[in-house]
Amino acid sequence: MHHIRERVALLVLGLTAAACGGAQLNQARVAEVQSSVVAAEAVGANDQPRAALHLQLARDEMAEARRLADDGDGDGAALLLERARVDAELAMQLAKTEQEQEKARQAWQKIQDLQKEQR
Amino acid sequence: MKTATRLYFGASALALASAACGASAPTPELMTARNVYSQARSSEASQLNPRGLHDAHKALSAAERAHADDAGSPAERHYAYIATRKSELAIAQASEALALKEQQRAEQDYKAGLERRSEQMAQESSQYSQQLTQTQTQLQASGEELKAREQKVAELKAAADRAQAQLRQMEAIREEEGRMIISLSGGVLFETAGAQLSGRAQTQLATVAQALAAYTDRNIVIEGHTDATGSDSTNQDLSQRRADAVRSYLESHGVPSERLRSVGRGESEPIASNENAEGRANNRRVEVIVEPAQQPRTSSASQATPDPSAASTQAEDAAVATPPDARPRTSSRQK
């Protein structure tokens, strides 16, 4: 958890420095997106195809948002940042859902194994 | 509450759709957003994740407004994109909630299954324990029965040994060619010239019957003998009746009838001289012969009268075996 905070802080600093020459990005939003990306990675989003797709979209949109901000297009950057946020959030949720569904499958498998033992 | 929520979302969707009718065609992004929102509404999200569905609805409303304001604009595309993701998020959150519920239900079922199994095993364990106790009790009973039988056998053997010892003390027992011969004095067993057992005979024969009980696999021949006093036919008849009397006594005292055979030898096999009183007294006797072990006789043979030819052969044998001074007979001697 501490490691994640450090990464987010570094990212914020980097974005702030980059923003010096162009439009300003909403740093709270940037931090929020980055947190969601890290959290999605932590729950295994890279291992689940649909979650991995949205995680990649989030990364690309973040990069595009930075580029637009650098080019002085603050509004466009803000829109892309919002897209990145929902994609990262969806990636994390998809990975979590997959995890819980797998746990449910294992729980039912345990019951089936128990029933086999009883026969 | 859930029905009200559905009605609210449904009415809103219709309003948004009708508002869109008057304007230009929606962008593909908006079409997708509407479609995915519709899926979310008909999924378990309507029951398990109304809040997420509400967020998706708000996002779709923003997209619809952007479309109404400026159809095909970047704002419409942007908000439609957001709305699509929000709907997908609502579905995924509902799926997670459903998976958690299933886990909970599975855990409860698993716990109940374990409890049932535990009860079943306890029941089986109790049954096995009862069976074990029963088997142990049966084994103990069998052991005690075996001990009792062993004790009975030992008692019988001791009794037979005692009886044999008594017979030996009487010096009335001898062995010839594997046969055990118990010789009983006719003077002790019977009244003169009769075949009725005397009181003393009962005591003596009781000892013999006890001893014979030990020979359950042997055939027994009872031979009656007389001295040479009187006619051959009278002596033959008397010896047969005396052998029969002894046989009946032994039968009635536990010696199996199928192993008994009685034979009258008459005066044909003297063991001493018939010329004096002592010799004739020795010749008047009943011999109980325990034969070597063989198959039991059938009942039809048990009381067979000796074959005349065999009798004559035996008489000849006796004549050969008996010394010349033992053969003369006297007409006035007792039987």
Side-chain angles (χ1 to χ4, degrees):
Chain A
M1 194 64 192
H2 185 65
H3 187 62
I4 294 169
R5 281 184 186 166
E6 277 182 358
R7 285 180 69 178
V8 173
L10 283 171
L11 184 82
V12 171
L13 280 172
L15 286 170
T16 308
C20 289
Q24 285 271 328
L25 273 176
N26 184 328
Q27 296 310 311
R29 286 283 170 86
V30 169
E32 194 182 348
V33 172
Q34 192 59 31
S35 289
S36 294
V37 166
V38 173
E41 286 171 345
V43 292
N46 284 317
D47 302 327
Q48 205 251 332
R50 204 171 149 215
L53 170 69
H54 287 284
L55 192 58
Q56 191 54 47
L57 282 173
R59 287 187 190 115
D60 293 347
E61 285 156 352
M62 272 279 279
E64 186 64 13
R66 282 177 196 151
R67 195 184 62 76
L68 287 179
D70 287 347
D71 291 349
D73 184 0
D75 291 342
L79 291 178
L80 274 169
L81 201 57
E82 193 179 1
R83 287 191 182 199
R85 184 177 63 81
V86 291
D87 271 313
E89 200 177 339
L90 180 59
M92 184 181 65
Q93 184 58 51
L94 287 170
K96 269 176 69 185
T97 300
E98 173 62 24
Q99 273 190 344
E100 297 306 330
Q101 285 175 336
E102 178 57 27
K103 283 184 193 171
R105 278 193 289 273
Q106 286 175 356
W108 286 114
Q109 186 60 47
K110 263 170 67 179
I111 292 174
Q112 285 182 349
D113 292 345
L114 184 68
Q115 286 170 343
K116 275 183 195 168
E117 280 178 29
Q118 283 176 331
R119 275 179 212 141
Chain B
M1 179 65 187
K2 283 171 187 166
T3 312
T5 308
R6 280 187 175 188
L7 283 172
Y8 167 70
F9 286 139
S12 301
L14 278 172
L16 288 167
S18 61
C21 283
S24 306
T27 57
E29 287 84 351
L30 184 54
M31 294 284 280
T32 303
R34 286 174 182 170
N35 195 22
V36 177
Y37 175 73
S38 175
Q39 286 174 23
R41 223 161 42 93
S42 56
S43 75
E44 61 266 18
S46 60
Q47 287 187 345
L48 300 176
N49 187 24
R51 187 176 169 180
L53 200 59
H54 177 68
D55 287 347
H57 178 259
K58 276 193 346 189
L60 183 59
S61 297
E64 294 289 1
R65 277 196 301 275
H67 172 68
D69 290 347
D70 185 7
S73 66
E76 178 193 326
R77 291 175 190 275
H78 172 73
Y79 288 120
Y81 186 95
I82 301 296
T84 301
R85 295 292 178 266
K86 292 274 186 185
S87 293
E88 288 174 327
L89 189 66
I91 293 171
Q93 285 168 336
S95 295
E96 184 195 6
L98 186 65
L100 286 167
K101 275 192 167 187
E102 282 183 6
Q103 282 176 41
Q104 206 173 9
R105 196 155 60 89
E107 286 298 328
Q108 284 171 351
D109 284 6
Y110 184 70
K111 194 179 165 193
L114 279 180
E115 281 170 0
R116 276 198 303 276
R117 194 181 173 199
S118 171
E119 282 170 15
Q120 191 183 350
M121 287 175 81
Q123 212 171 358
E124 281 177 14
S125 170
S126 169
Q127 282 174 353
Y128 283 132
S129 177
Q130 280 179 359
Q131 285 173 358
L132 182 65
T133 308
Q134 269 181 346
T135 308
Q136 282 173 340
T137 309
Q138 285 170 355
L139 277 174
Q140 199 176 354
S142 299
E144 283 168 5
E145 194 182 329
L146 186 65
K147 270 186 189 172
R149 286 187 180 183
E150 281 173 354
Q151 195 176 349
K152 184 72 182 167
V153 168
E155 282 172 7
L156 283 172
K157 191 172 181 302
D161 289 347
R162 278 197 305 275
Q164 275 196 27
Q166 284 173 354
L167 285 172
R168 287 183 195 284
Q169 278 175 358
M170 289 159 61
E171 295 183 348
I173 187 166
R174 67 183 191 280
E175 287 192 20
E176 286 179 8
E177 297 170 355
R179 305 187 306 168
M180 184 173 73
I181 301 169
I182 303 163
S183 186
L184 304 163
S185 167
V188 173
L189 294 178
F190 304 102
E191 299 300 332
T192 303
Q196 188 76 31
L197 290 170
S198 67
R200 284 174 64 195
Q202 310 266 344
T203 311
Q204 207 164 352
L205 285 176
T207 308
V208 172
Q210 212 173 358
L212 293 179
Y215 299 97
T216 54
D217 58 344
R218 305 284 188 92
N219 290 323
I220 295 155
V221 181
I222 299 148
E223 290 186 350
H225 298 272
T226 63
D227 59 21
T229 308
S231 68
D232 284 356
S233 62
T234 304
N235 287 334
Q236 175 63 43
D237 176 59
L238 181 61
S239 65
Q240 181 67 54
R241 283 190 290 121
R242 285 181 169 180
D244 289 345
V246 172
R247 181 178 183 280
S248 298
Y249 181 90
L250 294 177
E251 258 183 41
S252 64
H253 283 73
V255 182
S257 61
E258 66 270 17
R259 296 195 178 278
L260 289 169
R261 185 164 65 97
S262 52
V263 181
R265 298 287 188 213
E267 58 185 67
S268 62
E269 295 180 17
I271 54 170
S273 169
N274 277 308
E275 291 301 321
N276 53 66
E278 190 185 345
R280 287 193 295 276
N282 286 335
N283 287 336
R284 291 191 298 275
R285 69 196 190 280
V286 171
E287 290 182 344
V288 178
I289 302 164
V290 182
E291 294 187 328
Q294 56 183 312
Q295 291 299 313
R297 289 179 187 284
T298 58
S299 57
S300 61
S302 64
Q303 279 195 308
T305 307
D307 185 345
S309 62
S312 65
T313 309
Q314 286 164 350
E316 285 163 14
D317 291 346
V320 171
T322 309
D325 62 337
R327 295 198 65 77
R329 61 181 66 183
T330 313
S331 59
S332 62
R333 304 270 166 72
Q334 271 192 329
K335 295 186 172 59

